[in-house]
Every structure is written in structure tokens, then in C-alpha cells.
Amino acid sequence: MNTRTIGNKAFYTKVLAPWFTSKPVDTQQLQVDLEAVAVCYRQIENNFLGDSSFLCGEEISMADIFAACEIVQTTVCGDTLGQHPKLQSWIHRVQQKLSPYFDEIHKPLLNSYKE
């Protein structure tokens, strides 16, 4: 499992490749990329998050901050969290713990790419 590589691939396919090449999104490749993202997210939910509030237990850690930033990036590719309510809840907890800085840092990314 490599959250950064998998998420970046989806982000590249959806956002960067069309911007660099002026060609439309390769929807077949995006589907493949998003399927890999979904597998990765299931692994995070099952192997790391489990029944804990955060990745390493009941307190937020650097692991949560790094992982949340990687995962938020993929949300511009579509509803990547829709089938992962446990991950959605975790992202919300991370967001609350880091408020208002989490939203401030991610605002340019999330506002710059809207369909």
C-alpha cells in the first residue's frame, strides 16, 4: 500500500495530465486509478484505523496529518470517500483537531479545481 503514489496517480490523471496536455481526462485510466484508491482506503480502514479514533490510537499523530493530506488531495478526483464512511469520519476528526489550519491549507487546492 502506497497512499502517496496511488493518490498522486489519480490526481495526475484527473487534474494535471489534462492541464499539461490540453486533452480531456482519460476516463478509463481514471477509473483504474480510482479503483486502486478504493483498495488503498479499505486497507487504511481495516489495517490502520480499525476501531481507533486515529491511525495510531486515540490521539492525533503525525501519521494522521500526513495521511489526511494525501487523502484530501484525491477528493478533487471525485467522490473518493463516498464508500468509506469510517475514513470520512476520521478525516472529519483530523480536520476538527487541526481547525482552522487544516481548512486554510487545503482551501486553495479544493477551491482551484471544481467541475
Side-chain angles (χ1 to χ4, degrees):
M1 174 180 69
N2 188 332
T3 309
R4 175 168 285 177
T5 300
I6 292 167
N8 283 349
K9 192 160 177 14
F11 185 79
Y12 179 83
T13 300
K14 175 70 176 188
V15 178
L16 297 179
W19 186 67
F20 287 138
T21 65
S22 298
K23 294 180 181 177
V25 173
D26 180 343
T27 55
Q28 287 182 314
Q29 183 60 52
L30 182 60
Q31 185 61 35
V32 169
D33 296 344
L34 292 178
E35 288 172 10
V37 166
V39 169
C40 181
Y41 288 178
R42 280 193 297 276
Q43 290 176 341
I44 292 170
E45 287 177 319
N46 296 331
N47 300 332
F48 294 98
L49 196 53
D51 294 327
S52 300
S53 296
F54 296 99
L55 295 174
C56 296
E58 296 308 312
E59 296 295 326
I60 194 167
S61 69
M62 291 301 294
D64 296 289
I65 296 168
F66 289 132
C69 291
E70 296 293 334
I71 290 169
V72 166
Q73 178 176 300
T74 66
T75 62
V76 300
C77 299
D79 184 19
T80 56
L81 296 174
Q83 299 299 311
H84 305 281
K86 188 185 285 190
L87 214 53
Q88 284 179 329
S89 296
W90 165 74
I91 288 278
H92 184 70
R93 285 190 296 276
V94 170
Q95 190 175 15
Q96 285 182 315
K97 285 280 190 180
L98 300 177
S99 182
Y101 308 109
F102 188 89
D103 292 333
E104 182 179 326
I105 287 173
H106 290 96
K107 187 177 182 177
L109 169 70
L110 299 175
N111 287 340
S112 67
Y113 188 80
K114 293 182 180 178
E115 296 202 53

